[in-house]
């Protein structure tokens, strides 16, 4: 049986970055994933799954040498972020306000994963098992044994980074608290009439938010929140019909679209694991928390988990403690649970306030947005929080 310091199940954006950060501490890592990401080619159309990567996440990806590979493939920086319901309460955040060159980048999830896997291939202390699936996990004598389809692995800890429907979380018997939202979201990749944009924006409509995330050139990823029945109807349209609907429904700021390339509907769920640690099993990323994607914070929270876990283990190693003891690992949960909960609750409060149809609430929220726009102190604090700095 092969022995490691740490087995990570899930080599997505969060699991793969965790493997690289822990490898920097000299730990021997086994990384398991059931699917290999498709190799990148510049002529490929944009993937539907993209993420708004915050400045804090960019720094983490730089520290594990993945950022340059991402830039060499495809990414789109944005310097401004617009939010509004009524035009008179339009609020815009600008990277100049916090002395930064940009606020973040829109990057396809697969490209982030590929850049991380390129680095993993250069690391002698990370072994990748893919495609592989977990058949069983067993915690014995202070160790974890993982049975894969073709072999058995053994380690001091097991990190679950296998996404929102985490099999490891379920096998460990860790429950979750959460709910399905009343609405669904549709992601639509389009060709825009406007050229390359440096802004990402979100308008709150009575039927739910709509958003534009810039992709390279005259391309964009649109997000359309609506009732589940309307998202079902939109899903049944041809790309040409959907193009028509987008041009009629989306705000003028979009500047119109020429065509729809791809579309996909997503359920909106909130799920928070009741504990992040069970014996030698640790949850990170969406396996621990999945959040309303309203403000594009999901993977950014996952990257914060990665950094917190690395810091806790590094401090333990540096001070001669047993880095895989429960007292050390429980510090990770202490550091992350409240921060994740705060972001989840803030997003829900935002979503709740902007979904309310009462004219009083409507007037209060638009006054609130106008006030934020006028107060540079509040504005810059909100912006720094969203950027993770
Ligand atoms: C519509 C939508 C829009 C979003 N937009 C944003 C955004 O703009 N910004 C943002 O920060 N976040 C966004 N998110 C959230 C973001 O996509 C997730 O937070 C992120 O993908 C979580 O990363 P992860 O690595 O934890 O999990 P995942 O991305 O789910 O990766 C899990 C990995 O584990 C592997 N795996 C799963 N099960 C097993 C198993 N049993 N054995 C082995 N391997 C397994 C999978 O193959 C995969 O590689 C959005 C989410 C949605 C639904």
């Amino acid at each position: 049986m092969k022995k490691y310091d740490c087995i990570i199940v899930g080599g997505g954006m969060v699991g793969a970055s965790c493997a690289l950060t822990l490898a920097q501490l000299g730990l021997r890592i086994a990384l398991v994933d059931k699917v290999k990401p498709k190799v990148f080619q510049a002529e490929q159309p944009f993937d539907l799954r993209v993420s708004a990567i915050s400045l804090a996440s960019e720094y983490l990806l730089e520290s594990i040498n993945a950022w340059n590979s991402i830039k060499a493939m495809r990414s789109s920086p944005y310097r401004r972020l617009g939010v509004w319901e009524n035009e008179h309460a339009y609020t815009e955040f600008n990277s100049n306000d916090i002395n930064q060159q940009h606020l973040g980048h829109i990057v396809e999830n697969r490209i982030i994963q590929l850049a991380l896997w390129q680095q993993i291939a250069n690391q002698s202390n990370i072994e990748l098992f893919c495609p592989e699936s977990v058949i069983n996990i067993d915690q014995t004598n202070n160790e974890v044994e993982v049975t894969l389809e073709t072999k058995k692995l053994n380690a001091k800890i097991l990190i679950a980074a296998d996404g929102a429907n985490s099999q490891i979380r379920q096998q460990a018997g860790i429950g979750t608290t959460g709910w399905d939202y009343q609405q669904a979201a549709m992601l639509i990749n389009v060709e825009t009439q406007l050229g390359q944009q440096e802004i990402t924006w979100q308008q709150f409509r009575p039927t739910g938010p709509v958003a534009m995330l810039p992709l390279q050139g005259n391309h964009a990823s649109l997000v359309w929140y609506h009732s589940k029945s309307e998202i079902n109807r939109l899903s049944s349209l041809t790309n040409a019909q959907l193009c028509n609907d987008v041009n009629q429904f989306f705000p003028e700021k979009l500047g119109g679209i020429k065509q729809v390339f791809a579309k996909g509907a997503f359920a909106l769920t909130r799920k928070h694991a009741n504990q992040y640690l069970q014996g030698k099993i640790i949850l990170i990323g969406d396996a621990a928390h999945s959040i309303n994607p309203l403000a594009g914070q999901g993977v950014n929270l996952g990257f914060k988990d990665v950094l917190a876990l690395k810091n806790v283990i590094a401090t333990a190693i540096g001070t001669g403690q047993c880095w895989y003891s429960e007292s050390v690992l429980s510090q990770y949960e202490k550091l992350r649970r409240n921060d994740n909960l705060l972001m989840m609750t803030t997003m829900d409060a935002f979503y709740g306030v902007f979904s309310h149809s009462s004219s009083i609430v409507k007037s209060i929220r638009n006054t609130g947005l106008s006030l934020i726009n006028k107060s540079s102190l509040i504005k810059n604090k909100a912006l720094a929080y969203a950027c993770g700095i």
Side-chain angles (χ1 to χ4, degrees):
M1 188 186 317
K2 290 202 153 196
K3 287 191 175 266
Y4 299 87
D5 290 312
C6 169
I7 300 167
I8 301 176
V9 177
M13 298 182 283
V14 175
S17 56
C18 188
L20 286 163
T21 54
L22 295 186
Q24 285 179 335
L25 302 180
L27 302 187
R28 234 186 128 228
I29 317 284
L31 179 63
V32 180
D33 203 300
K34 54 183 183 183
V35 203
K36 253 192 186 133
K38 198 166 143 194
V39 173
F40 173 74
Q41 282 165 343
E43 64 277 12
Q44 282 167 347
F46 293 92
D47 291 348
L48 268 181
R49 293 301 303 266
V50 301
S51 294
I53 298 302
S54 71
L55 287 170
S57 299
E58 178 183 330
Y59 301 148
L60 173 80
L61 292 164
E62 261 170 11
S63 75
I64 47 181
N65 300 320
W67 189 247
N68 283 341
S69 309
I70 291 172
K71 297 292 288 176
M73 286 186 271
R74 258 189 331 219
S75 64
S76 178
Y78 56 91
R79 290 186 45 244
R80 297 182 292 131
L81 185 146
V83 185
W84 78 103
E85 181 179 23
N86 292 334
E87 298 291 343
H88 72 263
Y90 177 80
T91 303
E92 190 171 293
F93 301 89
N94 192 307
S95 59
N96 293 338
D97 299 338
I98 51 168
N99 301 318
Q100 298 289 335
Q101 287 190 334
H102 51 259
L103 295 176
H105 283 74
I106 308 298
V107 194
E108 291 151 86
N109 293 3
R110 178 176 59 107
I111 283 181
I112 299 174
Q113 190 186 13
L114 282 170
L116 293 163
W117 282 37
Q118 278 172 14
Q119 292 307 313
I120 285 169
N122 300 329
Q123 294 288 327
S124 57
N125 53 342
I126 306 179
E127 204 168 339
L128 180 62
F129 297 90
C130 181
E132 268 286 7
S133 288
V134 176
I135 308 291
N136 190 42
I137 48 176
D138 209 3
Q139 297 199 58
T140 47
N141 295 336
N142 231 6
E143 286 183 337
V144 199
E145 197 176 284
V146 174
T147 309
L148 302 180
E149 275 171 355
T150 61
K151 49 188 75 67
K152 280 192 176 194
L153 310 176
N154 173 292
K156 298 186 174 81
I157 60 170
L158 166 60
I159 297 178
D162 51 345
N165 297 317
S166 170
Q167 175 199 352
I168 303 300
R169 184 186 67 222
Q170 287 166 37
Q171 284 191 10
I174 301 176
T176 57
T177 308
W179 54 80
D180 280 347
Y181 294 93
Q182 302 256 306
Q183 293 198 310
M186 175 161 245
L187 300 183
I188 313 169
N189 282 359
V190 298
E191 184 186 355
T192 53
Q193 312 257 14
L194 300 174
Q196 175 76 55
Q197 300 188 58
E198 54 154 37
I199 186 169
T200 180
W201 51 252
Q202 184 154 48
Q203 184 190 19
F204 291 91
R205 315 274 306 229
T207 50
V210 291
M212 191 283 300
L213 290 74
L215 299 175
Q216 269 186 4
N218 55 341
H219 295 98
S221 164
L222 306 181
V223 193
W224 191 343
Y225 280 69
H226 214 299
S227 63
K228 289 175 183 165
S229 58
E230 178 63 2
I231 294 295
N232 280 342
R233 186 192 71 79
L234 293 172
S235 304
S236 70
L237 300 180
T238 63
N239 285 355
Q241 289 167 329
L242 184 61
C243 179
N244 240 354
D245 278 32
V246 167
N247 278 329
Q248 279 176 27
F249 189 86
F250 269 63
E252 270 177 25
K253 200 171 185 63
L254 180 61
I257 62 164
K258 287 185 181 165
Q259 57 175 319
V260 165
F261 285 112
K263 59 182 187 289
F266 292 86
L268 300 173
T269 50
R270 166 173 167 156
K271 215 181 264 180
H272 200 187
N274 295 338
Q275 55 200 88
Y276 291 2
L277 186 68
Q278 199 256 44
K280 298 290 170 194
I281 299 175
I282 301 146
L283 309 184
I284 61 172
D286 271 26
H289 43 77
S290 53
I291 176 175
N292 188 330
L294 187 65
Q297 287 295 333
V299 77
N300 294 303
L301 292 182
F303 287 138
K304 282 179 153 189
D305 294 349
V306 168
L307 201 57
L309 185 59
K310 178 198 174 178
N311 288 341
V312 160
I313 293 179
T315 306
I317 293 173
T319 53
Q321 297 172 69
C322 173
W323 64 265
Y324 47 90
S325 67
E326 195 174 334
S327 62
V328 168
L329 297 176
S330 62
Q331 290 167 34
Y332 154 73
E333 174 155 5
K334 278 197 199 114
L335 284 171
R336 293 304 305 141
R337 174 169 282 282
N338 285 344
D339 189 51
N340 287 329
L341 193 59
L342 176 66
M343 184 60 89
M344 290 167 118
T345 308
T346 307
M347 283 314 109
D348 281 345
F350 221 63
Y351 183 68
V353 165
F354 278 93
S355 317
H356 218 288
S357 57
S358 138
S359 53
I360 299 172
V361 177
K362 192 170 175 178
S363 151
I364 292 172
R365 66 195 176 215
N366 280 295
T367 311
L369 275 183
S370 298
L371 284 176
I372 290 174
N373 205 27
K374 284 178 192 140
S375 161
S376 54
L377 182 69
I378 301 175
K379 203 170 158 184
N380 295 350
K381 277 204 183 278
L383 191 54
Y385 179 56
C387 294
I389 54 173

